[in-house]
Amino acid sequence: MGGCKSRMASVKIIFAFDKKYFARWTRKQWIPKETSFRQIHKEVKNALTSLYSHDKYKVVLKFRGKIYNSHDPTTLLDLNAENGEKLSISVSPKEKPKDKTFMNIRLHCCTDEYICIFIKNGSTVLQLQEEIVKYKQCCNQTDLKIIYKHLELSSEEYVPEIEEGILDVFSNTKISENLQSPWKIKKSGLVKEGLCMNINCLAYKQIVSVNKGLGHFNLLAEASHLNIEKCGICDEKLYNTHRIGFANCVYSYKAIKNDETIQEENCKEIRTKYTEFDLIKQAGWSQLEVTVSCLPGHVSSNLQ
């Protein structure tokens, strides 16, 4: 949005963007009081051009409960607008392609900004990376890491169905610099968690994820204090590594108690989230084994 030469002739407006289509929900900005809603519409659409790869969208501006269209000459001065008033900006596609999914993406690689793109349903993360590079050519496709709520998505996986939230895209070489709490990143498969007690580590007194991937595991051995895991940040020993869970995968387990009672479950799916395995917390097991594999339909069965 345009700037101003004098704040005396301007008003500080809070721009409230549609949460579904924007990662940065609000922004405060000084704009000239003589600015009309027609001008605001024009500047918003110009700004959207840098955000959207799909240009067929509609914009609705609402001020004091009233909607102002793109031809309205009314100015903020006409309305005696005051500092701190809110201007709501709603954006949505006019025609959402039936075979495509809308993705809200926050870049942390060659640039720090938000982009919104449509991607074909059933696309892999690799294809999403290609679309990002096509739209933002300064990004290096082989260097991109895509994160959803601290879950790292492999390039061989299909893009998950995300109803809300943001996909964060990082440069692999700078992910530890740009990502808040990189030690919490979880990858598809079995995940152990432990406590880092190295006072010189960034993860000091934090829960650190240890990604074990796919395969067959003896959970009693994994949870044993004899099984030493190390912090991915400082490479020092982790403590209390008995917490075990699963992220974005399928797991089956068989558990046998000391009294030979058997408990088992097959093909439990965990999608786009992490779930702790509570059974490991119970005592009295003589055997507790689990097999972890990729979700159905994934391009590859080897996502480790």
Side-chain angles (χ1 to χ4, degrees), residues 28-94:
K28 297 179 181 179
Q29 185 167 328
W30 291 92
I31 61 175
K33 293 181 180 178
E34 291 81 6
T35 304
S36 68
F37 286 97
R38 179 169 54 201
Q39 291 172 296
I40 295 175
H41 262 281
K42 183 177 180 179
E43 293 198 35
V44 168
K45 287 185 177 180
N46 287 339
L48 287 175
T49 302
S50 66
L51 286 172
Y52 285 80
S53 59
H54 184 75
D55 58 359
K56 295 181 179 179
Y57 48 79
K58 59 182 178 181
V59 177
V60 176
L61 298 185
K62 185 181 289 187
F63 187 71
R64 294 177 180 170
K66 180 180 177 180
I67 294 176
Y68 292 85
N69 64 42
S70 58
H71 304 290
D72 200 311
T74 305
T75 68
L76 294 173
L77 182 62
D78 295 334
L79 300 177
N80 295 317
E82 300 180 355
N83 290 340
E85 291 203 71
K86 183 181 292 185
L87 174 65
S88 297
I89 302 175
S90 176
V91 178
S92 61
K94 292 178 181 177

Side-chain angles (χ1 to χ4, degrees), residues 111-293:
T111 180
D112 290 327
E113 63 179 285
Y114 302 91
I115 63 172
C116 306
I117 65 175
F118 281 96
I119 185 167
K120 190 174 181 179
N121 295 339
S123 295
T124 63
V125 172
L126 177 61
Q127 290 171 317
L128 174 59
Q129 291 172 330
E130 291 172 348
E131 284 295 317
I132 293 171
V133 172
K134 188 186 302 181
Y135 186 66
K136 208 69 183 176
Q137 296 181 358
C138 63
C139 293
N140 182 352
Q141 181 181 332
T142 59
D143 189 42
L144 296 183
K145 290 287 186 183
I146 296 183
I147 309 294
Y148 177 63
K149 295 182 177 179
H150 277 99
L151 175 64
E152 181 179 327
L153 304 179
S154 164
S155 61
E156 296 178 306
E157 298 179 45
Y158 284 103
V159 176
E161 295 180 4
I162 299 174
E163 296 182 357
E164 59 181 21
I166 304 164
L167 284 177
D168 284 286
V169 179
F170 293 88
S171 164
N172 186 40
T173 55
K174 296 183 178 180
I175 190 168
S176 59
E177 301 174 15
N178 299 332
L179 176 63
Q180 185 178 7
S181 308
W183 49 86
K184 292 183 179 180
I185 289 293
K186 295 173 174 62
K187 300 181 181 181
S188 297
L190 180 74
V191 182
K192 294 179 66 176
E193 292 183 302
L195 184 68
C196 180
M197 294 303 294
N198 179 4
I199 195 171
N200 297 315
C201 181
L202 292 173
Y204 176 57
K205 287 189 175 181
Q206 298 290 314
I207 298 298
V208 176
S209 295
V210 180
N211 295 293
K212 308 293 285 189
L214 310 178
H216 186 80
F217 301 91
N218 179 336
L219 295 190
L220 296 182
E222 288 290 342
S224 170
H225 68 280
L226 299 176
N227 188 12
I228 296 176
E229 302 288 357
K230 292 185 177 182
C231 173
I233 303 298
C234 67
D235 204 37
E236 292 292 323
K237 176 185 174 181
L238 292 175
Y239 295 84
N240 300 330
T241 55
H242 53 269
R243 290 174 58 174
I244 293 176
F246 304 96
N248 212 35
C249 64
V250 178
Y251 73 89
S252 302
Y253 74 86
K254 181 177 182 179
I256 303 177
K257 288 192 172 183
N258 293 331
D259 62 3
E260 298 186 352
T261 302
I262 298 176
Q263 183 174 337
E264 56 188 334
E265 184 170 4
N266 293 315
C267 301
K268 184 173 179 62
E269 295 187 5
I270 305 296
R271 293 184 178 272
T272 59
K273 65 179 181 179
Y274 168 78
T275 299
E276 193 169 347
F277 190 58
D278 293 330
L279 211 62
I280 194 68
K281 299 177 182 178
Q282 300 177 18
W285 301 110
S286 62
Q287 178 182 328
L288 184 51
E289 297 186 350
V290 63
T291 299
V292 188
S293 57

